[in-house]
């Protein structure tokens, strides 16, 4: 099983580590465990893991410190943060620092597996395709004024004060066999860093998409609802998904990255 | 003076003025009377001069008669050639014509040639001072002389009779032992008789007896007093005294006869006869007081032999004086009375308002500020009363204002105290929530790890079991309950994070209606009557509709749970009394909340619903209200029901309306 992905699970609680391991091992992944950031860093030095799943809150070296250290050594490593204290600000900041994604506790094995699958897809994209090609894939010129949760979603402040929200092209590419989108209801409240909609693949797996802003959903792009291919064709333009009335956009902008600096 | 009232002082002052003026008028009166008396005395003095004039004129008359007769030839011839019938006839003729009592011719040796009054007696030696005087000096002379009884007798018996006067006892008289006066007093004039060569050959002596001769005195009276009378009495009286005896007078006795024979008072006698000094002053004459003037009458030798008297009845002057005094006294009494009345009136006028003022000030001092005085006059007292009324009025206003202020202040203090109490309650509640939030966050973190393990492993087990395994149901329960645990923890975290509201301008009544509509089925199940009392004039306010709906939902659901079937829930919307807040109240007829539990109901996890409630509803509602700048207030009485009052601020919505 040469192709077997190597995954390191980092959590200061043994049961959590074991549970995650037992959820992933049947899927054919090679799962290692570490009970602290320091141990994880050491193990990562010995084995080049494909994915690291790390708890944010740990005594000693925190998940965030681990992320920084690991990313410094290997930019291509995929790090997923899990947290029992889902401070969205911390989680989004982690993504901004280079984490692939995060998962709030408690979660079902399916959620984790979906995420791992997307993470590995991302890894594959890193390895198999050059960044140049990546850029070329952008079918539309880079739009102005877009702010992102890197690899997830984008937000753009419109003239009327509302924010247009869309999906990041990279995210779509990590979801194998994108099928449809499960939209929220109009008027529903969303928060930055929390699920604003679900991306559904052909196998029926649900993938969370984190909202880049907090606010209330004013409207949904009905054109996309009718034809999901629009999202693939023009993710930063006509393929927008939600129109949100933001609550504190200025403040939340700090947690986002301008599109071109990603 | 302290112990006297103002009234007494004023009266005393007035009385002083009155008494002084009365005294002054009396003094002036007395002075005037004295002046009158002095003038009367002056007049008497002048009258005396007139009387003397008359007396001297009488003397002059006699002197002239004697002088002119003495130069006649028949006189010379009679002396030279002896008397004849012719002389007798001539002299008697002259004597009768001139009313002389004595007309006697003597020779150089003082031998009587002829007594015209008594021709039978002649040749006797005539010892007469006047005659002697002429003989020695050869000049005509006139003088008043005392004539002795013998001399009178020689002249004539009737002269003796005339001159003889019985002394009549008189008041204040000078004591005398005699009972009659036999000598007389006579004005005598003598002129030398010269022969043709101018040699003195004899002397002609003429005289008029003054006793009982009223010619002079009545003459004077007629000339000077013109017969004026006062109460039947002659005002003026004139008297000729021989010594101290009235021999010729028009002073009348009480019986109306002339007061011949009465005598002068010792006092006057001593001064006039004794000392030769005229008397001017009041004197008691016979039986009346007179203002009198006496002067001595001297004989040829310079001896005082008698007096000439003039007197004005004092009675008119006394009466005048008395009248003047009475008048002044009357005027004084009248003015005193008038002044006293005026003083009393004025004093009363001054003191009565002052007394009222005093009474009023005492009233004011006792706190009765509504007492007012009636202004009765426009003077200073009136002004004082006016000022007093104004002052009390102002005082009353100020006091009322002060009382209002005090009341307002008390109200304000009570209000502020209530506000403070509420703020403190809120603060305590907030502090509680903050620490509970932190605790919840900590717990969430700790709980989430085991939940993660349970969730993952139960899923894994479920995956291993075949679809129809009878444990699938058990696993499903484990998974669902674990997921629920996760949701509870998330709720807790949401609560502790207190996500900020998304505010829009909204109609609160609409939110109430929507919430009630949404809970319609629950209300039906609980069989509760809902009464809506919504103020349609409420302004729209800035709220997060979803959050507020959540709050209303919590309120209504709590009310439904607390109220037995058939109960009432009243939902009311209105403006708060201060217009700063919109107020929604949920009033139920439920079982109420125990007093000791009211403080706990906003605490997280406090619930009375057992397993049915999360215990987060009210604390979440509380957090939402706090983030809206609003409040929740609870009033509850066990057994009667609970009233929850929500207040939301009416605030700047234009700002957000532009969005």
């Amino acid at each position: 099983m040469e192709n077997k992905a190597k995954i390191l699970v980092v959590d200061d609680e043994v049961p959590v580590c074991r549970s995650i391991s037992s959820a992933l091992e049947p899927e054919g992944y090679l799962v290692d465990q570490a009970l602290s950031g320091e141990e994880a860093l050491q193990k990562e030095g010995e084995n080049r893991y494909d994915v690291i799943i790390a708890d944010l809150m740990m005594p000693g070296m925190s998940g965030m410190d681990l992320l920084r250290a690991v990313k410094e050594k290997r930019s291509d490593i995929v790090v997923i943060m899990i947290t029992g204290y889902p401070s969205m600000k911390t989680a989004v900041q982690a993504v901004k620092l280079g984490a692939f994604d995060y998962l709030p506790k408690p979660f079902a094995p399916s959620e984790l597996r979906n995420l791992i699958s997307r993470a590995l897809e991302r890894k594959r994209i890193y390895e198999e395709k050059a960044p140049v090609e990546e850029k070329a894939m952008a079918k539309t010129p880079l739009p102005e004024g877009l702010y992102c949760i890197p690899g997830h979603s984008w937000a753009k402040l419109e003239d009327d004060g509302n924010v247009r929200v869309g999906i990041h092209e990279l995210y779509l590419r990590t979801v194998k066999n994108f099928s449809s989108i499960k939209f929220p209801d109009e008027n529903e409240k969303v928060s930055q860093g929390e699920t604003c909609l679900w991306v559904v693949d052909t196998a029926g797996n649900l993938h969370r998409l984190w909202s880049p802003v907090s606010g209330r959903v004013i409207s949904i792009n009905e054109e996309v609802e009718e034809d999901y291919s629009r999202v693939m064709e023009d993710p930063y333009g006509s393929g927008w998904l939600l129109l949100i009335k933001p609550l504190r956009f200025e403040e939340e902008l700090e947690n986002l990255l301008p599109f071109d600096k990603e | 003076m302290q112990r006297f009232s103002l009234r007494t002082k004023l009266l005393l002052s007035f009385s002083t003025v009155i008494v002084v003026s009365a005294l002054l008028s009396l003094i002036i009166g007395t002075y005037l009377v004295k002046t009158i008396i002095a003038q009367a005395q002056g007049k008497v003095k002048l009258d005396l001069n007139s009387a003397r004039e008359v007396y001297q004129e009488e003397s002059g008359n006699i002197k002239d008669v004697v002088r002119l007769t003495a130069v006649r030839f028949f006189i010379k011839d009679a002396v030279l050639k002896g008397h004849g019938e012719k002389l007798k006839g001539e002299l008697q003729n002259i004597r009768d014509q001139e009313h002389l009592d004595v007309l006697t011719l003597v020779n150089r040796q003082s031998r009587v040639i002829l007594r015209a009054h008594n021709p039978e007696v002649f040749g006797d030696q005539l010892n007469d001072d006047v005659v002697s005087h002429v003989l020695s000096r050869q000049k005509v002379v006139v003088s008043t002389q005392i004539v002795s009884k013998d001399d009178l007798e020689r002249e004539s018996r009737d002269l003796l009779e005339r001159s003889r006067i019985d002394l009549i006892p008189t008041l204040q008289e000078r004591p005398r032992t005699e009972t009659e006066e036999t000598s007389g007093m006579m004005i005598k004039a003598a002129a030398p008789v010269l022969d043709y060569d101018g040699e003195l050959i004899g002397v002609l002596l003429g005289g008029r007896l003054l006793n009982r001769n009223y010619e002079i005195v009545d003459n004077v009276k007629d000339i000077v007093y013109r017969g004026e009378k006062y109460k039947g009495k002659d005002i003026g009286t004139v008297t000729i005294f021989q010594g101290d005896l009235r021999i010729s007078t028009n002073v009348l006795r009480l019986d109306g006869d002339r007061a011949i024979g009465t005598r002068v008072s010792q006092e006057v006698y001593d001064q006039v006869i004794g000392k030769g000094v005229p008397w001017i002053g009041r004197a008691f004459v016979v039986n009346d007081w007179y203002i009198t003037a006496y002067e001595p009458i001297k004989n040829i030798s310079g001896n005082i032999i008698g007096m000439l008297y003039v007197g004005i009845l004092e009675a008119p002057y006394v009466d005048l004086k008395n009248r003047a005094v009475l008048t002044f006294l009357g005027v004084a009494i009248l003015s005193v009375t008038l002044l006293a009345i005026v003083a009393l009136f004025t004093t009363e006028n001054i003191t009565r308002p002052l007394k009222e003022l005093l009474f009023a000030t005492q009233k004011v001092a006792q706190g009765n500020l509504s007492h007012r005085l009636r202004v009765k006059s426009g003077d200073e007292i009136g002004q004082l009363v006016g000022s007093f009324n104004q002052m009390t009025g102002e005082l009353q206003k100020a006091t009322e204002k002060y009382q209002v202020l005090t009341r307002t202040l008390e109200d304000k203090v009570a209000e502020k105290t209530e506000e403070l109490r509420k703020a403190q309650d809120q603060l305590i509640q907030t502090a509680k929530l903050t620490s509970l939030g932190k605790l919840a966050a900590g717990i969430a973190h700790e709980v989430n790890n085991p939940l993660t393990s349970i969730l993952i492993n139960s899923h894994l087990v479920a995956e291993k079991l075949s679809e129809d395994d009878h444990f699938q149901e058990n696993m499903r329960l484990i998974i669902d309950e674990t997921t629920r645990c996760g949701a509870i923890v998330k709720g807790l975290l949401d609560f502790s994070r207190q996500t900020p509201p998304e505010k829009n301008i909204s109609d609160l009544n609409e939110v109430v209606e929507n919430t009630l509509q949404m809970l319609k089925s629950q209300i039906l199940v609980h069989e509760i009557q809902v009464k809506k009392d919504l103020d349609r004039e409420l302004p729209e306010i800035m709220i997060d509709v979803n959050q507020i709906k959540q709050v209303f939902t919590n309120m209504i659901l709590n009310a439904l749970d607390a109220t037995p079937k058939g109960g009432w829930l009243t939902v009311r919307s209105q403006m708060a009394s201060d217009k700063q807040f919109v107020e929604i109240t949920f009033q139920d007829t439920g079982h109420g909340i125990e007093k000791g539990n009211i403080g706990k109901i906003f605490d997280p996890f406090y619930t009375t619903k057992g397993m049915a409630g999360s215990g987060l509803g009210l604390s979440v509602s509380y957090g939402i209200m706090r983030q809206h700048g609003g409040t929740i207030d609870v009033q509850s009485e066990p057994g009667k029901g609970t009233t929850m009052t929500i207040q939301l601020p009416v605030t700047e919505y234009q700002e957000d309306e532009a969005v």
Side-chain angles (χ1 to χ4, degrees):
Chain A
M1 293 283 270
E2 216 174 293
N3 263 350
K4 273 187 181 171
K6 286 191 281 184
I7 297 169
L8 179 63
V9 179
V10 191
D11 199 303
D12 58 323
E13 287 198 27
V14 176
V16 176
C17 282
R18 278 200 190 152
S19 297
I20 292 172
S21 296
S22 49
L24 293 177
E25 274 165 353
E27 302 297 310
Y29 300 119
L30 294 172
V31 184
D32 249 351
Q33 296 171 25
L35 290 172
S36 70
E38 290 85 354
E39 192 190 339
L41 207 57
Q42 190 202 328
K43 284 197 167 170
E44 153 55 32
E46 292 160 11
N47 309 286
R48 289 176 65 89
Y49 297 105
D50 297 304
V51 176
I52 295 178
I53 300 168
D55 190 11
L56 261 176
M57 298 273 285
M58 287 186 295
M61 189 183 219
S62 73
M64 202 68 110
D65 296 334
L66 179 64
L67 172 68
R68 283 198 202 91
V70 166
K71 273 285 173 183
E72 208 168 285
K73 285 199 211 163
R74 282 180 59 201
S75 62
D76 64 328
I77 195 163
V78 178
V79 181
I80 291 167
M81 312 306 298
I82 50 172
T83 173
Y85 182 16
S87 157
M88 295 314 149
K89 199 175 164 183
T90 324
V92 173
Q93 272 171 357
V95 175
K96 194 176 163 185
L97 277 172
F100 168 66
D101 210 336
Y102 57 88
L103 197 55
K105 289 178 187 172
F107 46 84
S110 57
E111 285 182 87
L112 182 65
R113 288 178 196 137
N114 290 342
L115 193 52
I116 296 293
S117 118
R118 275 186 54 231
L120 290 174
E121 189 58 28
R122 175 75 179 117
K123 179 87 173 20
R124 198 180 57 77
I125 292 166
Y126 267 135
E127 287 166 355
E128 291 178 3
K129 307 213 166 148
V132 182
E133 200 185 335
E134 194 181 318
K135 283 262 160 91
M137 277 179 71
K139 286 168 185 167
T140 46
L142 284 179
E144 293 282 310
L146 253 55
Y147 291 90
C148 299
I149 294 177
H152 266 265
S153 53
W154 55 265
K156 188 188 180 201
L157 186 67
E158 299 290 321
D159 292 340
D160 61 3
N162 289 333
V163 171
R164 213 174 282 275
V165 169
I167 197 162
H168 200 286
E169 200 192 1
L170 256 178
Y171 188 98
L172 279 176
R173 289 171 60 195
T174 58
V175 178
K176 287 176 202 162
N177 310 315
F178 163 71
S179 141
S180 64
I181 290 169
K182 202 179 162 204
F183 280 107
D185 292 334
E186 277 187 15
N187 267 331
E188 201 171 285
K189 267 171 64 178
V190 293
S191 298
Q192 187 184 43
E194 290 191 35
T195 315
C196 64
L197 52 80
W198 303 85
V199 175
V200 189
D201 60 24
T202 45
N205 294 320
L206 297 173
H207 303 275
R208 300 167 190 261
L209 185 76
W210 307 127
S211 176
V213 292
S214 301
R216 189 163 51 86
V217 176
I218 293 177
S219 63
I220 290 158
N221 191 349
E222 281 169 15
E223 287 179 14
V224 169
E225 213 170 7
E226 285 163 17
D227 178 9
Y228 294 110
S229 63
R230 275 182 179 276
V231 186
M232 303 288 283
E233 283 158 16
D234 188 9
Y236 305 121
S238 60
W240 63 275
L241 300 176
L242 303 170
L243 192 63
I244 290 176
K245 185 179 175 189
L247 262 183
R248 38 173 191 260
F249 188 58
E250 296 282 312
E251 191 187 312
E252 288 177 340
L253 216 49
E254 281 179 29
N255 301 326
L256 303 178
L257 272 180
F259 192 83
D260 50 352
K261 289 192 178 150
E262 227 179 300
Chain B
M1 288 298 276
Q2 282 296 324
R3 65 185 184 278
F4 294 125
S5 67
L6 182 64
R7 191 165 178 272
T8 314
K9 285 184 200 170
L10 279 168
L11 282 177
L12 278 175
S13 312
F14 275 114
S15 305
T16 310
V17 172
I18 290 163
V19 167
V20 164
S21 51
L23 280 175
L24 264 177
S25 68
L26 273 179
I27 288 166
I28 291 167
T30 314
Y31 171 75
L32 281 175
V33 167
K34 275 188 179 165
T35 311
I36 288 165
I37 302 271
Q39 277 177 348
Q41 286 178 347
K43 186 173 181 299
V44 162
K45 219 166 159 185
L46 287 173
D47 293 348
L48 185 63
N49 287 343
S50 303
R52 194 198 305 122
E53 284 294 316
V54 171
Y55 189 89
Q56 281 172 356
E57 197 185 304
E58 184 81 4
S59 301
N61 270 343
I62 296 168
K63 187 182 170 187
D64 287 345
V65 167
V66 171
R67 181 169 57 85
L68 290 172
T69 307
V71 295
R72 289 177 73 170
F73 293 117
F74 75 89
I75 295 291
K76 295 179 202 264
D77 290 344
V79 176
L80 289 171
K81 297 165 188 172
H83 93 45
E85 282 303 308
K86 189 181 179 230
L87 175 70
K88 185 184 165 187
E90 285 286 346
L91 280 186
Q92 278 183 336
N93 200 19
I94 288 167
R95 191 195 73 99
D96 288 345
Q97 278 178 5
E98 300 295 334
H99 306 295
L100 293 177
D101 291 313
V102 172
L103 189 61
T104 300
L105 183 67
V106 297
N107 64 13
R108 185 112 172 59
Q109 287 74 39
S110 294
R111 287 203 181 271
V112 176
I113 297 167
L114 180 75
R115 279 189 175 91
H117 201 86
N118 193 3
E120 312 300 322
V121 181
F122 64 91
D124 54 316
Q125 188 72 37
L126 189 67
N127 290 316
D128 190 291
D129 292 342
V130 180
V131 171
S132 306
H133 198 89
V134 174
L135 285 173
S136 59
R137 303 206 186 154
Q138 295 191 23
K139 276 189 177 165
V140 183
V141 72
V142 67
S143 174
T144 307
Q145 296 292 106
I146 297 292
V147 187
S148 69
K149 182 189 171 189
D150 292 342
D151 285 345
L152 283 169
E153 200 169 10
R154 268 194 289 274
E155 279 296 326
S156 109
R157 278 214 66 88
D158 65 284
L159 278 187
L160 186 67
E161 274 306 306
R162 243 178 72 195
S163 66
R164 199 195 64 83
I165 290 168
D166 292 325
L167 297 186
I168 294 165
T170 316
L171 291 169
Q172 303 185 1
E173 63 179 5
R174 186 177 74 93
R176 249 168 94 164
T177 51
E178 304 95 325
T179 58
E180 61 169 11
E181 178 61 61
T182 50
S183 60
M185 195 164 78
M186 189 179 282
I187 300 172
K188 284 183 176 173
V193 178
L194 305 175
D195 65 7
Y196 297 102
D197 298 324
E199 285 295 317
L200 180 70
I201 54 172
V203 175
L204 183 64
L205 172 72
R208 198 174 281 159
L209 188 68
L210 293 169
N211 299 40
R212 289 198 174 90
N213 180 344
Y214 307 117
E215 203 177 324
I216 293 172
V217 291
D218 286 353
N219 214 1
V220 171
K221 195 179 93 180
D222 289 345
I223 292 167
V224 178
Y225 300 109
R226 293 186 185 90
E228 270 182 67
K229 282 178 182 295
Y230 181 80
K231 291 182 181 172
K233 286 179 183 170
D234 291 318
I235 279 184
T237 53
V238 185
T239 300
I240 296 166
F241 285 89
Q242 179 185 340
D244 62 347
L245 183 69
R246 284 187 181 84
I247 55 168
S248 173
T249 184
N250 40 41
V251 175
L252 300 180
R253 290 206 314 247
L254 286 174
D255 56 9
D257 290 343
R258 290 175 191 260
I260 300 298
T262 59
R263 287 180 290 144
V264 79
S265 68
Q266 178 80 54
E267 201 182 1
V268 175
Y269 180 87
D270 288 346
Q271 182 169 330
V272 183
I273 307 282
K275 296 178 186 163
V277 177
W279 169 281
I280 308 282
R282 66 193 289 268
F284 191 79
V285 178
V286 186
N287 41 37
D288 275 315
W289 281 97
Y290 283 80
I291 298 159
T292 60
Y294 293 82
E295 70 173 20
I297 296 173
K298 292 176 181 172
N299 66 9
I300 195 152
S301 316
N303 297 321
I304 295 166
I305 55 166
M307 293 183 293
L308 185 60
Y309 148 89
V310 177
I312 307 169
L313 199 60
E314 199 194 35
Y317 293 97
V318 170
D319 287 354
L320 181 64
K321 187 186 85 179
N322 288 343
R323 265 206 308 278
V325 167
L326 276 174
T327 308
F328 272 103
L329 204 65
V331 167
I333 287 166
L334 196 69
S335 39
V336 162
T337 313
L338 274 173
L339 270 170
I341 289 165
V342 169
L344 266 173
F345 184 71
T346 313
T347 308
E348 188 61 16
N349 252 356
I350 292 170
T351 52
R352 189 167 21 77
L354 282 179
K355 269 183 197 164
E356 284 176 23
L357 206 57
L358 181 67
F359 179 70
T361 51
Q362 285 165 350
K363 283 247 167 190
V364 170
Q366 285 159 12
N368 179 1
L369 293 176
S370 57
H371 190 79
R372 291 285 181 282
L373 289 166
R374 272 184 300 140
V375 185
K376 282 170 192 157
S377 61
D379 60 9
E380 289 86 342
I381 287 176
Q383 289 170 8
L384 184 62
V385 168
S387 297
F388 177 82
N389 282 342
Q390 198 185 341
M391 184 190 75
T392 12
E394 294 295 329
L395 206 58
Q396 192 178 12
K397 270 190 230 160
T399 312
E400 279 163 9
K401 211 165 155 189
Y402 167 74
Q403 283 167 347
V404 168
L405 273 178
T406 312
R407 239 174 279 136
T408 314
L409 197 65
E410 281 167 4
D411 289 351
K412 281 247 156 86
V413 168
E415 200 180 300
K416 284 285 162 198
T417 312
E418 180 61 20
E419 271 178 30
L420 268 176
R421 194 188 59 75
K422 280 191 176 173
Q424 197 190 9
D425 289 353
Q426 301 260 338
L427 202 67
I428 290 170
Q429 195 61 33
T430 306
K432 249 185 206 173
L433 286 180
T434 308
S435 54
L436 274 162
K438 279 178 185 165
L439 185 66
I443 290 168
H445 174 65
E446 293 305 321
V447 169
N448 269 335
N449 279 338
L451 282 184
T452 306
S453 301
I454 296 165
L455 196 57
I456 289 172
N457 288 300
S458 46
H459 269 289
L460 291 178
V461 171
E463 280 166 15
K464 289 274 182 244
L465 294 174
S466 62
E467 288 292 323
D468 54 354
D469 195 295
H470 69 280
F471 282 115
Q472 274 295 357
E473 177 61 20
N474 305 81
M475 291 320 293
R476 194 74 255 145
L477 275 174
I478 295 171
I479 288 165
D480 286 352
E481 287 302 278
T482 314
T483 310
R484 199 162 76 89
C485 282
I488 290 169
V489 169
K490 177 143 192 311
L492 248 179
L493 286 168
D494 282 346
F495 165 69
S496 71
R497 267 210 313 277
Q498 308 249 336
T499 51
E502 180 202 347
K503 292 182 193 171
N504 281 300
I505 177 83
S506 313
D507 179 359
L508 209 56
N509 287 330
E510 207 177 294
V511 180
V512 173
E513 301 268 24
N514 287 344
T515 312
L516 285 170
Q517 182 64 33
M518 193 175 81
L519 299 172
K520 206 170 158 187
S521 55
Q522 275 101 322
I523 293 167
L524 274 172
V525 167
H526 281 86
E527 291 176 31
I528 302 293
Q529 300 289 322
V530 175
K531 187 184 165 197
K532 282 185 287 182
D533 179 11
L534 305 179
D535 179 1
R536 297 289 166 191
E537 302 299 310
L538 282 188
E540 296 197 323
I541 57 169
M542 289 298 294
I543 49 168
D544 182 320
V545 174
N546 288 321
Q547 285 191 353
I548 295 301
K549 207 185 263 183
Q550 192 185 342
V551 173
F552 288 177
T553 305
N554 286 330
M555 298 291 131
I556 294 167
L557 289 179
N558 283 339
L560 294 181
D561 288 337
T563 310
K565 286 183 180 179
W568 281 87
L569 168 64
T570 307
V571 184
R572 186 178 295 114
S573 72
Q574 62 190 37
M575 282 302 282
S577 53
D578 60 2
K579 305 279 176 210
Q580 303 288 308
F581 289 88
V582 174
E583 218 169 67
I584 311 281
T585 53
F586 298 89
Q587 185 178 4
D588 64 45
T589 57
H591 48 63
I593 307 163
E594 293 293 331
K595 204 160 182 146
N597 289 338
I598 286 184
K600 296 181 195 165
I601 60 167
F602 294 110
D603 294 352
F605 312 117
Y606 175 80
T607 179
T608 54
K609 300 174 188 172
M611 282 298 286
S614 69
L616 286 174
L618 277 180
S619 55
V620 167
S621 297
Y622 183 87
I624 290 170
M625 290 316 294
R626 201 158 63 101
Q627 294 201 331
H628 277 79
T631 55
I632 303 181
D633 189 53
V634 196
Q635 304 257 304
S636 188
E637 208 176 318
K640 289 205 172 168
T642 304
T643 304
M644 304 287 280
T645 304
I646 288 168
Q647 284 200 331
L648 284 161
V650 180
T651 40
E652 358 77 48
Y653 63 82
Q654 283 116 325
E655 198 183 302
D656 289 73
E657 214 172 27
V659 173

